[in-house]
mmCIF file of all heavy atoms in Angstrom:
data_model
loop_
_atom_site.group_PDB
_atom_site.id
_atom_site.type_symbol
_atom_site.label_atom_id
_atom_site.label_comp_id
_atom_site.label_asym_id
_atom_site.label_seq_id
_atom_site.Cartn_x
_atom_site.Cartn_y
_atom_site.Cartn_z
ATOM 1 N N ASP A 838 -3.598 9.940 -6.148
ATOM 2 C CA ASP A 838 -3.119 8.736 -6.970
ATOM 3 C C ASP A 838 -4.168 8.485 -8.086
ATOM 4 O O ASP A 838 -5.142 9.190 -8.249
ATOM 5 C CB ASP A 838 -2.885 7.468 -6.234
ATOM 6 C CG ASP A 838 -4.269 6.914 -5.585
ATOM 7 O OD1 ASP A 838 -5.307 7.445 -5.907
ATOM 8 O OD2 ASP A 838 -4.114 5.943 -4.844
ATOM 9 N N SER A 839 -3.842 7.448 -8.932
ATOM 10 C CA SER A 839 -4.752 7.226 -10.079
ATOM 11 C C SER A 839 -6.180 6.805 -9.655
ATOM 12 O O SER A 839 -7.038 6.745 -10.580
ATOM 13 C CB SER A 839 -4.117 6.183 -10.976
ATOM 14 O OG SER A 839 -3.897 4.942 -10.281
ATOM 15 N N ASN A 840 -6.420 6.408 -8.431
ATOM 16 C CA ASN A 840 -7.800 6.068 -7.969
ATOM 17 C C ASN A 840 -8.459 7.257 -7.339
ATOM 18 O O ASN A 840 -9.470 7.025 -6.678
ATOM 19 C CB ASN A 840 -7.609 4.840 -7.054
ATOM 20 C CG ASN A 840 -7.373 3.534 -7.809
ATOM 21 O OD1 ASN A 840 -7.874 3.393 -8.931
ATOM 22 N ND2 ASN A 840 -6.555 2.698 -7.135
ATOM 23 N N GLU A 841 -7.873 8.435 -7.385
ATOM 24 C CA GLU A 841 -8.383 9.645 -6.850
ATOM 25 C C GLU A 841 -8.386 9.642 -5.297
ATOM 26 O O GLU A 841 -9.182 10.440 -4.733
ATOM 27 C CB GLU A 841 -9.683 9.990 -7.349
ATOM 28 C CG GLU A 841 -9.725 10.161 -8.983
ATOM 29 C CD GLU A 841 -11.099 10.413 -9.565
ATOM 30 O OE1 GLU A 841 -12.046 10.584 -8.790
ATOM 31 O OE2 GLU A 841 -11.204 10.669 -10.806
ATOM 32 N N ASN A 842 -7.400 8.910 -4.764
ATOM 33 C CA ASN A 842 -7.220 8.989 -3.259
ATOM 34 C C ASN A 842 -6.129 10.020 -2.949
ATOM 35 O O ASN A 842 -5.128 10.097 -3.627
ATOM 36 C CB ASN A 842 -6.861 7.489 -2.838
ATOM 37 C CG ASN A 842 -7.867 6.527 -2.941
ATOM 38 O OD1 ASN A 842 -9.008 6.625 -2.752
ATOM 39 N ND2 ASN A 842 -7.478 5.367 -3.644
ATOM 40 N N ALA A 843 -6.521 10.823 -1.945
ATOM 41 C CA ALA A 843 -5.415 11.826 -1.639
ATOM 42 C C ALA A 843 -4.318 11.149 -0.932
ATOM 43 O O ALA A 843 -4.306 10.298 -0.022
ATOM 44 C CB ALA A 843 -6.149 12.845 -0.644
ATOM 45 N N ILE A 844 -3.059 11.408 -1.464
ATOM 46 C CA ILE A 844 -1.829 10.863 -0.980
ATOM 47 C C ILE A 844 -1.052 11.675 0.024
ATOM 48 O O ILE A 844 -0.507 11.287 0.942
ATOM 49 C CB ILE A 844 -0.991 10.367 -2.136
ATOM 50 C CG1 ILE A 844 -1.608 9.470 -3.067
ATOM 51 C CG2 ILE A 844 0.411 9.815 -1.708
ATOM 52 C CD1 ILE A 844 -2.082 8.208 -2.523
ATOM 53 N N SER A 845 -0.957 13.033 -0.357
ATOM 54 C CA SER A 845 -0.250 13.983 0.475
ATOM 55 C C SER A 845 -0.847 15.425 0.187
ATOM 56 O O SER A 845 -1.262 15.769 -0.923
ATOM 57 C CB SER A 845 1.308 13.848 0.196
ATOM 58 O OG SER A 845 2.072 14.813 1.053
ATOM 59 N N THR A 846 -0.509 16.332 1.211
ATOM 60 C CA THR A 846 -0.913 17.672 0.958
ATOM 61 C C THR A 846 0.336 18.570 1.309
ATOM 62 O O THR A 846 0.951 18.484 2.370
ATOM 63 C CB THR A 846 -2.065 18.154 1.994
ATOM 64 O OG1 THR A 846 -3.299 17.342 1.723
ATOM 65 C CG2 THR A 846 -2.387 19.544 1.931
ATOM 66 N N LEU A 847 0.579 19.580 0.538
ATOM 67 C CA LEU A 847 1.705 20.542 0.654
ATOM 68 C C LEU A 847 1.061 21.808 0.825
ATOM 69 O O LEU A 847 0.285 22.351 -0.048
ATOM 70 C CB LEU A 847 2.606 20.480 -0.534
ATOM 71 C CG LEU A 847 3.148 19.091 -1.036
ATOM 72 C CD1 LEU A 847 4.018 19.220 -2.314
ATOM 73 C CD2 LEU A 847 3.859 18.368 -0.044
ATOM 74 N N HIS A 848 1.407 22.489 1.969
ATOM 75 C CA HIS A 848 0.714 23.696 2.396
ATOM 76 C C HIS A 848 1.764 24.639 2.832
ATOM 77 O O HIS A 848 2.754 24.283 3.533
ATOM 78 C CB HIS A 848 -0.283 23.434 3.493
ATOM 79 C CG HIS A 848 -1.321 24.489 3.716
ATOM 80 N ND1 HIS A 848 -1.069 25.833 3.819
ATOM 81 C CD2 HIS A 848 -2.669 24.394 3.853
ATOM 82 C CE1 HIS A 848 -2.166 26.412 4.053
ATOM 83 N NE2 HIS A 848 -3.129 25.647 3.989
ATOM 84 N N THR A 849 1.717 25.867 2.368
ATOM 85 C CA THR A 849 2.672 26.828 2.723
ATOM 86 C C THR A 849 2.538 27.079 4.291
ATOM 87 O O THR A 849 3.732 27.235 5.001
ATOM 88 C CB THR A 849 2.340 28.275 2.188
ATOM 89 O OG1 THR A 849 0.949 28.548 2.276
ATOM 90 C CG2 THR A 849 2.816 28.307 0.667
ATOM 91 N N ARG A 850 1.481 26.859 4.997
ATOM 92 C CA ARG A 850 1.386 26.993 6.383
ATOM 93 C C ARG A 850 2.144 25.917 7.129
ATOM 94 O O ARG A 850 2.596 26.247 8.128
ATOM 95 C CB ARG A 850 -0.055 26.831 6.756
ATOM 96 C CG ARG A 850 -0.355 26.954 8.227
ATOM 97 C CD ARG A 850 -1.903 26.949 8.531
ATOM 98 N NE ARG A 850 -2.618 25.900 7.971
ATOM 99 C CZ ARG A 850 -2.924 24.841 8.552
ATOM 100 N NH1 ARG A 850 -2.409 24.561 9.886
ATOM 101 N NH2 ARG A 850 -3.700 23.926 7.998
ATOM 102 N N PHE A 851 2.273 24.802 6.483
ATOM 103 C CA PHE A 851 3.012 23.628 7.306
ATOM 104 C C PHE A 851 4.487 23.959 7.384
ATOM 105 O O PHE A 851 5.110 23.634 8.377
ATOM 106 C CB PHE A 851 3.002 22.420 6.469
ATOM 107 C CG PHE A 851 1.498 21.738 6.200
ATOM 108 C CD1 PHE A 851 1.273 20.769 5.307
ATOM 109 C CD2 PHE A 851 0.497 22.192 7.118
ATOM 110 C CE1 PHE A 851 0.036 20.234 5.165
ATOM 111 C CE2 PHE A 851 -0.737 21.682 6.941
ATOM 112 C CZ PHE A 851 -0.877 20.723 5.986
ATOM 113 N N LYS A 852 5.046 24.977 6.579
ATOM 114 C CA LYS A 852 6.416 25.197 6.562
ATOM 115 C C LYS A 852 6.668 26.677 6.957
ATOM 116 O O LYS A 852 7.709 27.234 6.936
ATOM 117 C CB LYS A 852 7.041 25.043 5.334
ATOM 118 C CG LYS A 852 6.963 23.678 4.706
ATOM 119 C CD LYS A 852 7.737 22.618 5.592
ATOM 120 C CE LYS A 852 9.257 22.792 5.507
ATOM 121 N NZ LYS A 852 9.982 21.770 6.241
ATOM 122 N N ASP A 853 5.474 27.310 7.596
ATOM 123 C CA ASP A 853 5.575 28.743 8.044
ATOM 124 C C ASP A 853 6.057 29.642 6.848
ATOM 125 O O ASP A 853 6.682 30.606 7.002
ATOM 126 C CB ASP A 853 6.536 28.925 9.275
ATOM 127 C CG ASP A 853 5.851 28.279 10.477
ATOM 128 O OD1 ASP A 853 4.697 28.279 10.662
ATOM 129 O OD2 ASP A 853 6.807 27.835 11.396
ATOM 130 N N PHE A 854 5.596 29.361 5.633
ATOM 131 C CA PHE A 854 5.911 30.194 4.481
ATOM 132 C C PHE A 854 4.782 30.952 4.093
ATOM 133 O O PHE A 854 4.101 30.693 3.136
ATOM 134 C CB PHE A 854 6.412 29.233 3.341
ATOM 135 C CG PHE A 854 6.995 29.896 2.049
ATOM 136 C CD1 PHE A 854 8.221 30.556 2.049
ATOM 137 C CD2 PHE A 854 6.210 30.150 0.997
ATOM 138 C CE1 PHE A 854 8.692 31.329 0.970
ATOM 139 C CE2 PHE A 854 6.597 30.790 -0.148
ATOM 140 C CZ PHE A 854 7.798 31.443 0.005
ATOM 141 N N LEU A 855 4.482 31.943 4.897
ATOM 142 C CA LEU A 855 3.323 32.928 4.613
ATOM 143 C C LEU A 855 3.861 33.951 3.679
ATOM 144 O O LEU A 855 4.706 34.655 3.854
ATOM 145 C CB LEU A 855 2.866 33.467 5.869
ATOM 146 C CG LEU A 855 1.671 34.580 5.792
ATOM 147 C CD1 LEU A 855 0.417 33.890 5.240
ATOM 148 C CD2 LEU A 855 1.413 35.201 7.058
ATOM 149 N N ILE A 856 3.140 34.161 2.628
ATOM 150 C CA ILE A 856 3.300 35.230 1.660
ATOM 151 C C ILE A 856 2.521 36.415 2.141
ATOM 152 O O ILE A 856 1.314 36.469 1.905
ATOM 153 C CB ILE A 856 2.896 34.846 0.198
ATOM 154 C CG1 ILE A 856 3.552 33.451 -0.203
ATOM 155 C CG2 ILE A 856 3.180 35.987 -0.706
ATOM 156 C CD1 ILE A 856 2.964 32.948 -1.390
ATOM 157 N N GLU A 857 3.135 37.295 2.814
ATOM 158 C CA GLU A 857 2.466 38.472 3.508
ATOM 159 C C GLU A 857 1.803 39.325 2.590
ATOM 160 O O GLU A 857 0.746 39.896 2.844
ATOM 161 C CB GLU A 857 3.386 39.131 4.448
ATOM 162 C CG GLU A 857 3.899 38.282 5.713
ATOM 163 C CD GLU A 857 4.707 38.993 6.623
ATOM 164 O OE1 GLU A 857 5.013 40.278 6.319
ATOM 165 O OE2 GLU A 857 5.140 38.531 7.741
ATOM 166 N N ASN A 858 2.528 39.580 1.433
ATOM 167 C CA ASN A 858 1.847 40.545 0.442
ATOM 168 C C ASN A 858 2.299 40.151 -0.949
ATOM 169 O O ASN A 858 3.377 39.510 -1.092
ATOM 170 C CB ASN A 858 2.517 42.042 0.580
ATOM 171 C CG ASN A 858 2.083 42.634 1.886
ATOM 172 O OD1 ASN A 858 0.977 42.926 2.027
ATOM 173 N ND2 ASN A 858 2.939 42.662 2.926
ATOM 174 N N ILE A 859 1.423 40.334 -1.834
ATOM 175 C CA ILE A 859 1.747 39.919 -3.227
ATOM 176 C C ILE A 859 1.307 41.124 -4.105
ATOM 177 O O ILE A 859 0.212 41.681 -3.875
ATOM 178 C CB ILE A 859 0.918 38.637 -3.622
ATOM 179 C CG1 ILE A 859 1.451 38.059 -4.968
ATOM 180 C CG2 ILE A 859 -0.611 38.853 -3.589
ATOM 181 C CD1 ILE A 859 0.992 36.600 -4.996
ATOM 182 N N VAL A 860 2.116 41.397 -5.129
ATOM 183 C CA VAL A 860 1.796 42.566 -5.987
ATOM 184 C C VAL A 860 1.341 42.007 -7.378
ATOM 185 O O VAL A 860 1.548 40.886 -7.669
ATOM 186 C CB VAL A 860 3.218 43.347 -6.180
ATOM 187 C CG1 VAL A 860 3.589 43.921 -4.711
ATOM 188 C CG2 VAL A 860 4.298 42.620 -6.750
ATOM 189 N N ARG A 861 0.948 42.991 -8.100
ATOM 190 C CA ARG A 861 0.409 42.690 -9.354
ATOM 191 C C ARG A 861 1.429 42.151 -10.346
ATOM 192 O O ARG A 861 2.581 42.572 -10.150
ATOM 193 C CB ARG A 861 -0.275 43.932 -9.962
ATOM 194 C CG ARG A 861 -1.528 44.512 -9.289
ATOM 195 C CD ARG A 861 -1.950 45.784 -9.900
ATOM 196 N NE ARG A 861 -3.038 46.357 -9.285
ATOM 197 C CZ ARG A 861 -4.352 46.329 -9.651
ATOM 198 N NH1 ARG A 861 -4.662 45.657 -10.718
ATOM 199 N NH2 ARG A 861 -5.345 46.771 -8.933
ATOM 200 N N GLY A 862 1.055 41.386 -11.384
ATOM 201 C CA GLY A 862 1.998 40.845 -12.198
ATOM 202 C C GLY A 862 2.158 39.279 -12.001
ATOM 203 O O GLY A 862 1.311 38.663 -11.295
ATOM 204 N N GLU A 863 3.199 38.740 -12.518
ATOM 205 C CA GLU A 863 3.500 37.297 -12.491
ATOM 206 C C GLU A 863 4.487 36.948 -11.370
ATOM 207 O O GLU A 863 5.587 37.727 -11.277
ATOM 208 C CB GLU A 863 3.871 36.784 -13.830
ATOM 209 C CG GLU A 863 2.821 36.771 -14.802
ATOM 210 C CD GLU A 863 3.221 36.082 -16.112
ATOM 211 O OE1 GLU A 863 4.247 35.506 -16.168
ATOM 212 O OE2 GLU A 863 2.416 36.142 -17.098
ATOM 213 N N SER A 864 4.280 35.881 -10.669
ATOM 214 C CA SER A 864 5.152 35.485 -9.650
ATOM 215 C C SER A 864 5.425 34.051 -9.684
ATOM 216 O O SER A 864 4.564 33.130 -10.077
ATOM 217 C CB SER A 864 4.529 35.810 -8.220
ATOM 218 O OG SER A 864 4.333 37.109 -8.000
ATOM 219 N N LEU A 865 6.687 33.598 -9.564
ATOM 220 C CA LEU A 865 7.123 32.259 -9.613
ATOM 221 C C LEU A 865 7.537 31.624 -8.216
ATOM 222 O O LEU A 865 8.287 32.214 -7.487
ATOM 223 C CB LEU A 865 8.293 32.041 -10.639
ATOM 224 C CG LEU A 865 8.880 30.776 -10.768
ATOM 225 C CD1 LEU A 865 7.931 29.760 -11.483
ATOM 226 C CD2 LEU A 865 10.167 30.658 -11.611
ATOM 227 N N TYR A 866 6.906 30.538 -7.898
ATOM 228 C CA TYR A 866 7.230 29.796 -6.633
ATOM 229 C C TYR A 866 7.628 28.458 -6.974
ATOM 230 O O TYR A 866 7.267 27.812 -7.886
ATOM 231 C CB TYR A 866 5.966 29.888 -5.713
ATOM 232 C CG TYR A 866 5.518 31.335 -5.239
ATOM 233 C CD1 TYR A 866 4.682 32.035 -5.976
ATOM 234 C CD2 TYR A 866 6.083 31.888 -4.105
ATOM 235 C CE1 TYR A 866 4.259 33.295 -5.626
ATOM 236 C CE2 TYR A 866 5.824 33.095 -3.711
ATOM 237 C CZ TYR A 866 4.868 33.835 -4.439
ATOM 238 O OH TYR A 866 4.536 35.125 -4.016
ATOM 239 N N SER A 867 8.546 27.902 -6.084
ATOM 240 C CA SER A 867 8.957 26.552 -6.208
ATOM 241 C C SER A 867 8.729 25.748 -5.077
ATOM 242 O O SER A 867 8.781 26.342 -3.849
ATOM 243 C CB SER A 867 10.434 26.465 -6.701
ATOM 244 O OG SER A 867 11.395 27.022 -5.502
ATOM 245 N N ILE A 868 8.473 24.500 -5.177
ATOM 246 C CA ILE A 868 8.320 23.690 -4.009
ATOM 247 C C ILE A 868 9.266 22.472 -4.184
ATOM 248 O O ILE A 868 9.149 21.597 -5.270
ATOM 249 C CB ILE A 868 6.839 23.042 -3.829
ATOM 250 C CG1 ILE A 868 5.881 24.202 -3.771
ATOM 251 C CG2 ILE A 868 6.732 22.161 -2.607
ATOM 252 C CD1 ILE A 868 5.136 24.502 -4.967
ATOM 253 N N THR A 869 10.273 22.264 -3.429
ATOM 254 C CA THR A 869 11.271 21.217 -3.512
ATOM 255 C C THR A 869 10.929 20.092 -2.660
ATOM 256 O O THR A 869 10.680 20.177 -1.548
ATOM 257 C CB THR A 869 12.642 21.793 -3.243
ATOM 258 O OG1 THR A 869 13.001 22.841 -4.081
ATOM 259 C CG2 THR A 869 13.682 20.677 -3.409
ATOM 260 N N ILE A 870 11.026 18.854 -3.338
ATOM 261 C CA ILE A 870 10.649 17.634 -2.650
ATOM 262 C C ILE A 870 12.017 16.794 -2.637
ATOM 263 O O ILE A 870 12.371 16.227 -3.819
ATOM 264 C CB ILE A 870 9.590 16.793 -3.244
ATOM 265 C CG1 ILE A 870 8.153 17.565 -3.217
ATOM 266 C CG2 ILE A 870 9.283 15.583 -2.412
ATOM 267 C CD1 ILE A 870 7.166 16.939 -4.015
ATOM 268 N N PRO A 871 12.765 16.703 -1.500
ATOM 269 C CA PRO A 871 14.106 16.173 -1.602
ATOM 270 C C PRO A 871 14.140 14.749 -1.971
ATOM 271 O O PRO A 871 15.035 14.282 -2.695
ATOM 272 C CB PRO A 871 14.575 16.286 -0.082
ATOM 273 C CG PRO A 871 13.717 17.257 0.451
ATOM 274 C CD PRO A 871 12.375 17.280 -0.181
ATOM 275 N N LYS A 872 13.082 13.947 -1.708
ATOM 276 C CA LYS A 872 13.013 12.669 -2.127
ATOM 277 C C LYS A 872 11.622 12.158 -2.187
ATOM 278 O O LYS A 872 10.748 12.156 -1.226
ATOM 279 C CB LYS A 872 13.812 11.653 -1.036
ATOM 280 C CG LYS A 872 13.820 10.217 -1.327
ATOM 281 C CD LYS A 872 14.621 9.493 -0.317
ATOM 282 C CE LYS A 872 14.769 7.910 -0.778
ATOM 283 N NZ LYS A 872 15.606 7.191 0.250
ATOM 284 N N LEU A 873 11.066 11.895 -3.478
ATOM 285 C CA LEU A 873 9.719 11.588 -3.715
ATOM 286 C C LEU A 873 9.471 10.136 -3.480
ATOM 287 O O LEU A 873 9.983 9.154 -4.353
ATOM 288 C CB LEU A 873 9.277 11.999 -5.050
ATOM 289 C CG LEU A 873 7.898 11.793 -5.517
ATOM 290 C CD1 LEU A 873 7.087 12.789 -4.650
ATOM 291 C CD2 LEU A 873 7.524 11.997 -6.907
ATOM 292 N N ASP A 874 8.967 9.745 -2.315
ATOM 293 C CA ASP A 874 8.784 8.254 -2.060
ATOM 294 C C ASP A 874 7.565 7.599 -2.558
ATOM 295 O O ASP A 874 6.889 6.885 -1.734
ATOM 296 C CB ASP A 874 8.836 8.202 -0.440
ATOM 297 C CG ASP A 874 10.190 8.707 0.120
ATOM 298 O OD1 ASP A 874 11.216 8.866 -0.620
ATOM 299 O OD2 ASP A 874 10.176 8.927 1.346
ATOM 300 N N PHE A 875 7.230 7.736 -3.796
ATOM 301 C CA PHE A 875 5.971 7.344 -4.422
ATOM 302 C C PHE A 875 6.351 6.164 -5.314
ATOM 303 O O PHE A 875 7.471 6.134 -5.896
ATOM 304 C CB PHE A 875 5.313 8.320 -5.284
ATOM 305 C CG PHE A 875 4.634 9.542 -4.536
ATOM 306 C CD1 PHE A 875 4.723 9.578 -3.169
ATOM 307 C CD2 PHE A 875 3.823 10.383 -5.243
ATOM 308 C CE1 PHE A 875 4.007 10.569 -2.388
ATOM 309 C CE2 PHE A 875 3.252 11.419 -4.491
ATOM 310 C CZ PHE A 875 3.311 11.491 -3.138
ATOM 311 N N ALA A 876 5.366 5.097 -5.287
ATOM 312 C CA ALA A 876 5.547 3.924 -6.224
ATOM 313 C C ALA A 876 5.350 4.474 -7.603
ATOM 314 O O ALA A 876 4.625 5.544 -7.953
ATOM 315 C CB ALA A 876 4.616 2.852 -5.871
ATOM 316 N N GLU A 877 5.714 3.730 -8.623
ATOM 317 C CA GLU A 877 5.504 4.144 -10.057
ATOM 318 C C GLU A 877 4.002 4.194 -10.410
ATOM 319 O O GLU A 877 3.252 3.621 -9.787
ATOM 320 C CB GLU A 877 6.173 3.188 -10.957
ATOM 321 C CG GLU A 877 5.775 1.656 -10.879
ATOM 322 C CD GLU A 877 6.437 0.859 -11.883
ATOM 323 O OE1 GLU A 877 7.296 1.271 -12.550
ATOM 324 O OE2 GLU A 877 6.139 -0.365 -11.965
ATOM 325 N N GLY A 878 3.665 5.068 -11.223
ATOM 326 C CA GLY A 878 2.271 5.349 -11.656
ATOM 327 C C GLY A 878 2.108 6.874 -11.974
ATOM 328 O O GLY A 878 3.030 7.621 -11.882
ATOM 329 N N ASN A 879 0.937 7.050 -12.154
ATOM 330 C CA ASN A 879 0.452 8.521 -12.519
ATOM 331 C C ASN A 879 -0.228 9.056 -11.223
ATOM 332 O O ASN A 879 -0.974 8.516 -10.478
ATOM 333 C CB ASN A 879 -0.609 8.456 -13.615
ATOM 334 C CG ASN A 879 -0.068 8.072 -14.856
ATOM 335 O OD1 ASN A 879 1.057 8.321 -15.367
ATOM 336 N ND2 ASN A 879 -0.823 7.335 -15.681
ATOM 337 N N TYR A 880 0.142 10.455 -10.984
ATOM 338 C CA TYR A 880 -0.386 11.170 -9.979
ATOM 339 C C TYR A 880 -0.805 12.456 -10.485
ATOM 340 O O TYR A 880 -0.467 12.993 -11.504
ATOM 341 C CB TYR A 880 0.822 11.383 -8.781
ATOM 342 C CG TYR A 880 1.185 10.002 -8.276
ATOM 343 C CD1 TYR A 880 2.070 9.197 -8.893
ATOM 344 C CD2 TYR A 880 0.616 9.568 -7.127
ATOM 345 C CE1 TYR A 880 2.630 8.096 -8.392
ATOM 346 C CE2 TYR A 880 0.977 8.363 -6.454
ATOM 347 C CZ TYR A 880 2.046 7.606 -7.162
ATOM 348 O OH TYR A 880 2.390 6.438 -6.580
#
């Protein structure tokens, strides 16, 4: 949050999304949050 307090952590390990191998070049990944339950402000 704006006071530099950690609010939440998103980790591939939490969802068993291990990237076993990655190759040279550019790769695009997405993280979908179905409902962002945050109050208004900067994060």
Side-chain angles (χ1 to χ4, degrees):
D838 67 5
S839 58
N840 289 323
E841 302 183 355
N842 299 310
I844 302 301
S845 185
T846 298
L847 311 179
H848 200 309
T849 48
R850 175 171 60 86
F851 295 166
K852 303 294 290 186
D853 289 329
F854 185 77
L855 176 67
I856 307 169
E857 294 184 358
N858 294 285
I859 194 165
V860 298
R861 295 174 184 261
E863 293 188 5
S864 301
L865 177 66
Y866 295 91
S867 67
I868 305 99
T869 300
I870 303 173
K872 187 177 183 181
L873 189 67
D874 299 342
F875 287 4
E877 63 179 1
N879 294 319
Y880 296 86

